[in-house]
Amino acid sequence: DNGRPVISSGDGRFSMAFRVRAQIDFGAFLQDDPATSTAQYKDLSTGALVRRGFFGVEGKAFKDFWYEFRYNAGGGGGAESGDPAMSIARVAYTGIDHFRVNVGIIEPAFGLEATTSSGQLMFLERPEIENIATDTFGGADARRGIEVAFQHENLFLPGDNLIWTAAFTGSKTTAPGGSAAGHGNGGDEQTQLLSHLSYRFWNDGPSNAIIGADYATILGTGGNVNSYTLQDRPQIRVDGTRLIGAAIGGGNFVSHHGFLIGGHAAANYENFYLGGEYIYYKTDRFNTVTKTADHPDFSGYFLEGSWVLTGEPKTYAVNATNNEIGGFGSPKVANPFSFDGESWGAWELVARYSFTNLDWYRDTPTYGIAGGREGVFDVGLNWYLNNEVKLQFHDSIVHVNKLNAAAGTTQVGQDLNIIGIRLQFSN
Amino acid sequence: DNGRPVISSGDGRFSMAFRVRAQIDFGAFLQDDPATSTAQYKDLSTGALVRRGFFGVEGKAFKDFWYEFRYNAGGGGGAESGDPAMSIARVAYTGIDHFRVNVGIIEPAFGLEATTSSGQLMFLERPEIENIATDTFGGADARRGIEVAFQHENLFLPGDNLIWTAAFTGSKTTAPGGSAAGHGNGGDEQTQLLSHLSYRFWNDGPSNAIIGADYATILGTGGNVNSYTLQDRPQIRVDGTRLIGAAIGGGNFVSHHGFLIGGHAAANYENFYLGGEYIYYKTDRFNTVTKTADHPDFSGYFLEGSWVLTGEPKTYAVNATNNEIGGFGSPKVANPFSFDGESWGAWELVARYSFTNLDWYRDTPTYGIAGGREGVFDVGLNWYLNNEVKLQFHDSIVHVNKLNAAAGTTQVGQDLNIIGIRLQFSN
Amino acid sequence: DNGRPVISSGDGRFSMAFRVRAQIDFGAFLQDDPATSTAQYKDLSTGALVRRGFFGVEGKAFKDFWYEFRYNAGGGGGAESGDPAMSIARVAYTGIDHFRVNVGIIEPAFGLEATTSSGQLMFLERPEIENIATDTFGGADARRGIEVAFQHENLFLPGDNLIWTAAFTGSKTTAPGGSAAGHGNGGDEQTQLLSHLSYRFWNDGPSNAIIGADYATILGTGGNVNSYTLQDRPQIRVDGTRLIGAAIGGGNFVSHHGFLIGGHAAANYENFYLGGEYIYYKTDRFNTVTKTADHPDFSGYFLEGSWVLTGEPKTYAVNATNNEIGGFGSPKVANPFSFDGESWGAWELVARYSFTNLDWYRDTPTYGIAGGREGVFDVGLNWYLNNEVKLQFHDSIVHVNKLNAAAGTTQVGQDLNIIGIRLQFSN
């Protein structure tokens, strides 16, 4: 009932579905007066942009094969606004029971919200600690790689669902040039290994409860690249500026490796939902002057909840050939919006608190890292007019605590408020 | 009968049509010998390019909703050749009688020719004064915004058609970066308000007569941006150079506001068509040294006519969810081209004179603006082989009168001739 | 049976087929230790990329017209990774017996492998001498131009097939900017003339034998451009570096013209295939100091063979509206891969030796050109899982002999080994 057009061959061996996803975001940044502010980023940019502009085709090809092909003409704000045009280009083989293999340009299953389709997010962006995980540690879409997944229902308990995936990935398909990812003389590609475990231990009709764990490691930063960066935006991308960020490597230091571990739990009881996740990052660094190694570590977490006011339950995807396997999704609208009759679509109230700490011994001059700490409290109202059109109204209260440098004496953090509105069309 | 493929759901609540529009332009610039010419642009670039390369989907989604999603891989010549890839991404709500709302990446209805689809233009480009209006004052495609339209037939007179639209828009979806539109620290988005009025006061079967008026204002240039520019190419974009252009702001001046008013009238009597428009621009400027304000103003007009030699009448769009509302379009081909039988498609003879004056007190040194004056006489022959394939052959006689600077003593204008040919496929 | 979805109108006058082609390449470069190597490019970049990411539509429009429209989101490695987004946008007229005309953004038929679709190549890339021919002398896709083709079966002999094409082309649709192709002030477009002749003189059911010849000339390098370059990568593009290359013009020299002639022959006997081609390039150069002209010339060849182990014959395209006219293609898979039953798809063993010589009097200081000589022996195994999914495993043994400059005393060539793997999905 989502109106996704499909063409099929008579014998059912081939099909092609046409997919569209357009997200238009408006964001307003309410900050202190730039004339007196000491913040690093005093005057973030209010405006609108195309966050995602997907067009894609997917379908069955012969027995046991599935393909998906997706372009993206959207992106975030700022210099990095151009998200990769080739977002997904994968072939999935599903010919062995309980297994599937994804090869090509993939989006590996990972974490709690990264297993929710970007078309079904409760908030405008996924939480910072998940974006750091997927961007730096090899997940997210537009990723060259291969993924193997095992999925089994009713394995230990009636109604349970076990999912285990492992992926080996390279860089994103973003326009390369010059650097390691640029495939030029002197720069091999960065590679990562990821693994995701998710278990639904309770299921009662529309209600579900899951626990999960994740691991990812940077096998090598590639070529002559000696550093990487943990960073993200304040959960909206209308202005592309990252308020916090920790560079691993640089100066006297080189870094080629790092890993993360994470755990999450989530459950929906009919139209109520509650979830949370914690992720811990540990990096390897080598001081080329003192010839000593150290291991800066960082962490973050989030807690989120939702209440579908109109009563539709949250949905859980038992299986999927893409990253949505075992993820929570949008409610299915019972009464699509129309002025005739009492049909107002579905309404959902959501809230999330997210905290990310990218400081490590930040008061120590030689080796400390003053990446910054950020807490974001996001409260929102989602209006699903029907299963294709959605409007989201969000307010984020952001607190940034950041020093101008390791052992620096100037606070360059700030308190700000961000209004975010999204219009989405997707099928 | 335009062969636009459509997939529909059985209950008629969903549909998806697939749209293609490819325009390949060839242009030859016949100029004076560069060795002796004093013109600012002595040697414009002869060659070919993809003016538009659209692929899109559009259709119905549930009751009262319409969506459109369009990519563009074409553009004009020169540094700005890359027109925005995300050309249209809109949701229209049509659930209230006589009203529609367009939200997302839209192309607002505006002026006389800007309400004609780019696939149905009689000339290769819209007239300069309309391009200046839409580029700088918030229209054209790839525009973030919201538009409300009211449309009513047979309101005051039998056969009449009243259209009134209002739109609030931001920037285009062009790759941002660095500047105000870049959504970086310190740069809010430019915003504009537009309104368009069009009235068909006479209709007699295939014949129509309309009058209309337009207003648009720059609400703010956004962020720390203190200027904007009125400029356009000589109605062909194979070479992207703009022969005339007036920068509002710069030097001692800052400018954040400006408005335009315009009026137009057009009519077709069966296979004959005549139309014209006048637009007046007034800008606000502030001299930061003398602390005084002034208001440079500019204007332009065009007159155009067409005769469909094979007798097919011009068409008028009573209603539409996009910018074509109330616009004039191509004739419908009665006999598609084929060597069998006497079927030569449709042939149309067209001519337009356009004049644009971007000078303001150009003989005065301190505050004068020597943007230049340009007259273009364009005569063309359009061959519609069928409703999908069109060939256009045009010759433009261009006269540019421009000083090298305000109160400058060197004439850097020129007389030139431009041959333009377009091949178009569209469905 | 390739599962290409098509929508047609009831009267058969219109159709639209949806095409997808995704090629994900992995490449590993096995070179000497960079610490001791004297090679010009010591450390090529191992990794993966999207070589082609096509989505397109094509079909019939009215009587005698065919259209094709194709986007590309892929490309090669390095700075030039972004292949043109607008890959094909053509209208073909087929209304005169034995003739067709292609206009727009086309890919002219040329040479031996360039008449094979990029989706049906036996190797990862076409041979170097063909890429040099098409890139510099006006072929390949994304090319503005017009092509006329004559094709006739059973003309002189029963079972024969004569093909003759001529094309006039300009530049590619690549994002222009600044240079001649940039359509800026002072730079007309480079233009070329190409002609291709191919004759199938023997046909026996699935078996075919052809001979052919090609000619191409640079009519002018365009605008103020005084040089062009013959160059290519070592038949894999994961690293975009070209190991050899001869610049015609530069220094005291200017060059605006050049031509090539080539000849090829190929045959398949059921599931065995053998082919080869020789191309000779001659350039025109003028020394602006000594006021003398010279004519550096270059050449190259390749020999290739294939054996379809599972017995399916190679295919030959008698006719086509695109560049595949008269070309050899992939075998049609008899038993698509599946774990049920003994269905292992089709397997093909291939080998090619290619040699390219871009040196000209390289031991002479003043006028010699030390472009380099390269021999590549490529052996591969192609696994066609079905008609849509293909995996290719290749190893290339590359020998580069190159001086650091004309009359230079340092050898900057190298011996290296390249592992290449491609996953392809196409319909």
Side-chain angles (χ1 to χ4, degrees):
Chain A
D1 200 36
N2 55 3
R4 190 176 301 166
V6 182
I7 315 178
S8 299
S9 64
D11 59 5
R13 291 195 303 162
F14 304 101
S15 70
M16 186 180 273
F18 299 92
R19 305 285 307 267
V20 171
R21 188 178 306 158
Q23 296 177 338
I24 321 293
D25 287 9
F26 168 81
F29 296 84
L30 314 178
Q31 297 178 275
D32 289 344
D33 183 353
T36 57
S37 169
T38 64
Q40 185 177 9
Y41 304 107
K42 298 175 211 286
D43 187 10
L44 296 167
S45 173
T46 291
L49 56 69
V50 183
R51 181 61 185 88
R52 287 181 179 87
F54 289 169
F55 174 78
V57 292
E58 62 182 57
K60 242 165 86 172
F62 290 88
K63 202 172 168 299
D64 303 334
F65 289 92
W66 183 266
Y67 68 93
E68 185 182 0
F69 193 84
R70 189 170 81 185
Y71 283 113
N72 183 8
E80 293 172 62
S81 62
D83 273 359
M86 184 88 269
S87 174
I88 296 279
R90 70 184 170 95
V91 176
Y93 178 69
T94 58
I96 306 170
D97 277 359
H98 300 301
F99 282 91
R100 66 163 163 82
V101 183
N102 262 322
V103 192
I105 307 304
I106 64 173
E107 180 172 6
F110 204 76
L112 175 56
E113 281 210 36
T115 55
T116 298
S117 158
S118 67
Q120 306 198 30
L121 295 176
M122 297 189 296
F123 302 89
L124 301 191
E125 300 292 334
R126 296 191 176 100
E128 275 179 285
I129 54 157
E130 283 205 4
N131 282 336
I132 292 171
T134 51
D135 268 13
T136 308
F137 290 84
D141 66 346
R143 189 67 76 170
R144 301 165 184 134
I146 178 164
E147 182 193 40
V148 178
F150 170 84
Q151 179 268 340
H152 206 310
E153 262 187 297
N154 307 316
L155 188 62
F156 305 118
L157 298 170
D160 75 355
N161 190 33
L162 181 73
I163 291 154
W164 173 79
T165 74
F168 171 76
T169 64
S171 303
K172 292 194 171 197
T173 57
T174 327
S179 70
H183 288 297
N185 193 25
D188 292 343
E189 189 162 353
Q190 177 172 324
T191 50
Q192 308 88 15
L193 203 66
L194 303 95
S195 189
H196 170 72
L197 192 69
S198 173
Y199 184 60
R200 178 174 73 176
F201 58 90
W202 178 75
N203 166 238
D204 179 22
S207 304
N208 305 273
I210 68 164
I211 49 167
D214 289 280
Y215 172 81
T217 181
I218 298 173
L219 299 176
T221 50
N224 302 321
V225 178
N226 296 314
S227 65
Y228 56 92
T229 304
L230 312 182
Q231 57 181 354
D232 197 29
R233 303 158 186 95
Q235 290 167 193
I236 188 164
R237 285 184 60 179
V238 170
D239 185 305
T241 309
R242 283 122 164 173
L243 304 186
I244 58 171
I248 314 301
N252 294 337
F253 292 94
V254 297
S255 179
H256 300 107
H257 302 284
F259 76 89
L260 71 80
I261 50 169
H264 60 266
N268 79 304
Y269 183 76
E270 294 174 353
N271 56 330
F272 293 90
Y273 166 87
L274 204 68
E277 187 170 28
Y278 170 84
I279 296 185
Y280 171 83
Y281 307 91
K282 186 158 190 175
T283 68
D284 291 339
R285 218 168 49 152
F286 185 75
N287 188 317
T288 54
V289 174
T290 63
K291 305 288 177 194
T292 53
D294 60 9
H295 303 278
D297 57 352
F298 310 93
S299 65
Y301 64 87
F302 67 89
L303 254 174
E304 62 187 15
S306 123
W307 172 24
V308 182
L309 304 170
T310 43
E312 288 93 339
K314 290 291 265 190
T315 53
Y316 169 85
V318 171
N319 201 355
T321 72
N322 64 6
N323 69 308
E324 295 168 43
I325 191 167
F328 283 91
S330 293
K332 291 285 161 200
V333 177
N335 301 298
F337 170 72
S338 167
F339 272 124
D340 311 337
E342 299 286 309
S343 299
W344 291 103
W347 293 78
E348 181 185 29
L349 210 56
V350 297
R352 177 171 70 193
Y353 180 72
S354 150
F355 182 76
T356 311
N357 185 348
L358 297 178
D359 281 338
W360 186 70
Y361 288 101
R362 78 168 182 184
D363 295 321
T364 314
T366 348
Y367 58 85
I369 295 174
R373 300 161 199 182
E374 186 170 27
V376 181
F377 180 69
D378 182 328
V379 58
L381 183 67
N382 299 328
W383 179 20
Y384 303 87
L385 284 80
N386 51 52
N387 288 331
E388 299 204 336
V389 182
K390 177 171 75 162
L391 271 167
Q392 295 179 280
F393 305 91
H394 283 255
D395 183 57
S396 294
I397 302 160
V398 182
H399 174 71
V400 180
N401 176 336
K402 190 179 181 185
L403 293 186
N404 61 326
T409 51
T410 311
Q411 175 58 243
V412 297
Q414 60 181 313
D415 288 300
L416 74 157
N417 224 33
I418 308 174
I419 309 289
I421 301 174
R422 170 172 293 174
L423 168 72
Q424 175 178 299
F425 176 84
S426 66
N427 71 1
Chain B
D1 200 37
N2 57 4
R4 189 175 301 164
V6 182
I7 315 177
S8 299
S9 64
D11 59 4
R13 290 195 304 162
F14 304 102
S15 70
M16 186 180 274
F18 299 92
R19 304 287 305 268
V20 171
R21 189 177 305 158
Q23 295 177 338
I24 321 293
D25 286 9
F26 168 82
F29 296 84
L30 313 178
Q31 295 178 276
D32 290 343
D33 183 354
T36 57
S37 170
T38 63
Q40 185 176 11
Y41 304 106
K42 296 176 211 288
D43 187 9
L44 296 167
S45 172
T46 291
L49 56 68
V50 183
R51 181 62 185 89
R52 286 181 180 87
F54 289 170
F55 175 79
V57 292
E58 61 182 58
K60 241 165 87 171
F62 290 88
K63 200 170 171 302
D64 302 334
F65 290 92
W66 182 267
Y67 69 93
E68 184 183 1
F69 193 84
R70 188 170 81 186
Y71 282 114
N72 183 9
E80 293 171 62
S81 62
D83 273 359
M86 184 88 268
S87 174
I88 297 280
R90 69 185 170 95
V91 176
Y93 179 69
T94 58
I96 305 170
D97 276 0
H98 300 300
F99 282 91
R100 68 163 162 82
V101 183
N102 261 322
V103 192
I105 307 304
I106 64 173
E107 179 172 7
F110 203 76
L112 176 55
E113 281 209 36
T115 55
T116 299
S117 158
S118 67
Q120 307 198 30
L121 295 177
M122 296 190 297
F123 302 90
L124 301 191
E125 300 292 335
R126 297 189 175 101
E128 276 180 284
I129 55 157
E130 283 205 5
N131 283 335
I132 292 171
T134 50
D135 267 14
T136 309
F137 290 84
D141 65 347
R143 189 67 76 171
R144 302 166 185 134
I146 178 163
E147 182 193 40
V148 178
F150 170 84
Q151 179 267 341
H152 205 310
E153 261 187 297
N154 306 315
L155 188 60
F156 305 119
L157 300 169
D160 75 355
N161 190 33
L162 181 72
I163 292 154
W164 173 81
T165 73
F168 171 77
T169 64
S171 303
K172 291 192 171 199
T173 57
T174 326
S179 70
H183 287 298
N185 193 24
D188 291 343
E189 188 162 353
Q190 178 173 325
T191 50
Q192 308 88 15
L193 203 66
L194 303 94
S195 191
H196 170 73
L197 191 69
S198 172
Y199 183 61
R200 177 173 73 176
F201 58 90
W202 179 74
N203 166 239
D204 178 22
S207 304
N208 305 275
I210 68 164
I211 49 165
D214 289 280
Y215 173 80
T217 183
I218 298 172
L219 298 176
T221 50
N224 302 322
V225 177
N226 296 315
S227 64
Y228 56 93
T229 304
L230 311 182
Q231 56 182 355
D232 196 28
R233 303 159 186 94
Q235 290 166 193
I236 186 163
R237 284 183 61 178
V238 171
D239 185 304
T241 308
R242 283 122 164 173
L243 304 186
I244 58 171
I248 314 302
N252 293 337
F253 292 94
V254 297
S255 180
H256 300 106
H257 302 285
F259 76 90
L260 70 81
I261 52 168
H264 60 266
N268 79 304
Y269 183 75
E270 293 173 355
N271 56 331
F272 294 90
Y273 166 86
L274 204 68
E277 188 170 27
Y278 171 83
I279 297 184
Y280 170 82
Y281 308 91
K282 186 158 190 176
T283 67
D284 292 338
R285 218 166 50 150
F286 185 76
N287 188 317
T288 53
V289 175
T290 63
K291 306 288 177 195
T292 53
D294 60 9
H295 302 279
D297 58 352
F298 310 92
S299 66
Y301 64 88
F302 66 90
L303 255 174
E304 63 187 14
S306 123
W307 172 23
V308 181
L309 304 169
T310 43
E312 288 93 339
K314 290 291 267 188
T315 53
Y316 169 85
V318 171
N319 201 356
T321 72
N322 64 8
N323 68 309
E324 295 167 42
I325 191 167
F328 284 90
S330 293
K332 291 286 163 201
V333 177
N335 301 298
F337 170 72
S338 168
F339 273 124
D340 311 337
E342 299 287 310
S343 298
W344 292 102
W347 293 79
E348 182 184 30
L349 210 57
V350 298
R352 179 172 69 194
Y353 180 73
S354 148
F355 182 76
T356 311
N357 185 349
L358 298 179
D359 281 338
W360 185 71
Y361 288 100
R362 77 168 180 182
D363 296 321
T364 313
T366 348
Y367 58 84
I369 294 175
R373 302 161 198 182
E374 186 170 25
V376 181
F377 180 67
D378 182 328
V379 58
L381 183 67
N382 299 328
W383 180 18
Y384 303 87
L385 285 79
N386 51 51
N387 287 332
E388 300 204 335
V389 182
K390 177 171 76 164
L391 271 167
Q392 295 180 280
F393 306 91
H394 283 255
D395 182 59
S396 294
I397 301 160
V398 182
H399 174 71
V400 180
N401 176 336
K402 190 180 181 185
L403 293 185
N404 61 326
T409 52
T410 311
Q411 174 60 242
V412 298
Q414 60 181 313
D415 287 300
L416 74 157
N417 223 34
I418 308 173
I419 309 288
I421 301 175
R422 171 172 293 174
L423 167 73
Q424 175 178 299
F425 177 85
S426 65
N427 71 0
Chain C
D1 200 36
N2 56 3
R4 191 175 299 165
V6 182
I7 314 178
S8 299
S9 65
D11 59 5
R13 290 194 306 160
F14 304 102
S15 69
M16 186 180 274
F18 298 92
R19 304 286 306 267
V20 172
R21 188 178 306 159
Q23 296 178 337
I24 321 292
D25 287 9
F26 168 81
F29 296 85
L30 313 178
Q31 296 177 275
D32 289 343
D33 183 353
T36 58
S37 169
T38 64
Q40 186 176 11
Y41 304 107
K42 297 174 211 285
D43 187 10
L44 295 167
S45 172
T46 291
L49 56 68
V50 182
R51 181 60 185 88
R52 286 180 180 87
F54 289 169
F55 174 79
V57 292
E58 62 183 57
K60 240 165 87 171
F62 289 89
K63 202 171 169 302
D64 303 333
F65 289 91
W66 182 266
Y67 68 93
E68 184 183 0
F69 192 84
R70 188 170 80 185
Y71 283 113
N72 183 9
E80 293 172 61
S81 62
D83 274 359
M86 183 87 268
S87 174
I88 297 279
R90 68 184 171 96
V91 175
Y93 177 69
T94 59
I96 306 170
D97 277 359
H98 300 299
F99 283 91
R100 66 163 164 82
V101 182
N102 261 323
V103 192
I105 306 304
I106 64 173
E107 180 172 6
F110 203 75
L112 175 56
E113 281 210 37
T115 54
T116 299
S117 158
S118 67
Q120 306 199 31
L121 295 176
M122 296 190 296
F123 302 90
L124 300 191
E125 300 292 335
R126 297 191 175 99
E128 275 179 286
I129 55 157
E130 285 204 5
N131 283 336
I132 291 170
T134 50
D135 267 14
T136 308
F137 290 83
D141 65 347
R143 188 67 75 170
R144 302 166 185 132
I146 178 164
E147 183 193 38
V148 178
F150 170 83
Q151 179 269 340
H152 206 308
E153 262 187 298
N154 307 315
L155 188 60
F156 305 118
L157 299 170
D160 75 355
N161 190 33
L162 181 73
I163 292 154
W164 174 79
T165 74
F168 171 77
T169 63
S171 304
K172 292 192 170 198
T173 57
T174 328
S179 70
H183 287 297
N185 193 25
D188 291 344
E189 188 162 353
Q190 178 173 323
T191 50
Q192 308 89 15
L193 202 66
L194 303 94
S195 190
H196 170 73
L197 191 69
S198 172
Y199 183 58
R200 179 173 73 177
F201 57 91
W202 179 74
N203 166 238
D204 179 22
S207 304
N208 307 274
I210 68 164
I211 49 167
D214 290 281
Y215 173 80
T217 182
I218 298 172
L219 299 176
T221 51
N224 302 322
V225 177
N226 295 316
S227 64
Y228 55 92
T229 304
L230 311 182
Q231 56 180 356
D232 196 29
R233 302 159 186 95
Q235 292 168 191
I236 187 164
R237 284 183 61 177
V238 170
D239 185 305
T241 309
R242 284 123 163 172
L243 305 186
I244 59 171
I248 314 302
N252 293 337
F253 292 95
V254 297
S255 180
H256 300 107
H257 302 286
F259 76 91
L260 70 81
I261 51 168
H264 60 266
N268 79 304
Y269 183 76
E270 293 174 354
N271 55 330
F272 292 90
Y273 167 86
L274 204 69
E277 187 169 27
Y278 170 84
I279 297 184
Y280 170 83
Y281 306 92
K282 186 158 190 175
T283 67
D284 292 339
R285 220 167 48 152
F286 186 75
N287 188 317
T288 54
V289 174
T290 64
K291 306 287 178 196
T292 53
D294 60 10
H295 302 279
D297 57 352
F298 310 92
S299 65
Y301 64 88
F302 67 89
L303 256 173
E304 61 186 15
S306 123
W307 172 24
V308 182
L309 305 170
T310 44
E312 288 93 339
K314 289 293 266 189
T315 53
Y316 169 86
V318 172
N319 201 355
T321 71
N322 64 7
N323 68 310
E324 296 168 41
I325 190 167
F328 284 91
S330 293
K332 290 285 162 201
V333 178
N335 301 298
F337 170 72
S338 168
F339 273 124
D340 311 338
E342 299 286 309
S343 300
W344 292 102
W347 293 78
E348 182 184 31
L349 210 57
V350 297
R352 179 172 69 194
Y353 180 73
S354 149
F355 182 76
T356 312
N357 185 348
L358 298 178
D359 281 338
W360 186 70
Y361 289 100
R362 77 167 181 184
D363 296 321
T364 312
T366 348
Y367 58 84
I369 295 175
R373 301 163 197 180
E374 186 170 26
V376 181
F377 180 69
D378 183 328
V379 58
L381 183 68
N382 299 329
W383 179 19
Y384 304 86
L385 284 79
N386 51 52
N387 287 332
E388 300 204 334
V389 182
K390 176 171 74 162
L391 269 168
Q392 295 179 279
F393 304 91
H394 283 254
D395 183 57
S396 295
I397 301 161
V398 182
H399 174 71
V400 180
N401 176 336
K402 190 178 182 185
L403 293 185
N404 61 326
T409 52
T410 311
Q411 175 60 243
V412 296
Q414 59 181 315
D415 288 299
L416 74 157
N417 224 31
I418 308 174
I419 309 289
I421 301 175
R422 172 173 292 173
L423 168 73
Q424 176 178 297
F425 177 85
S426 65
N427 71 1

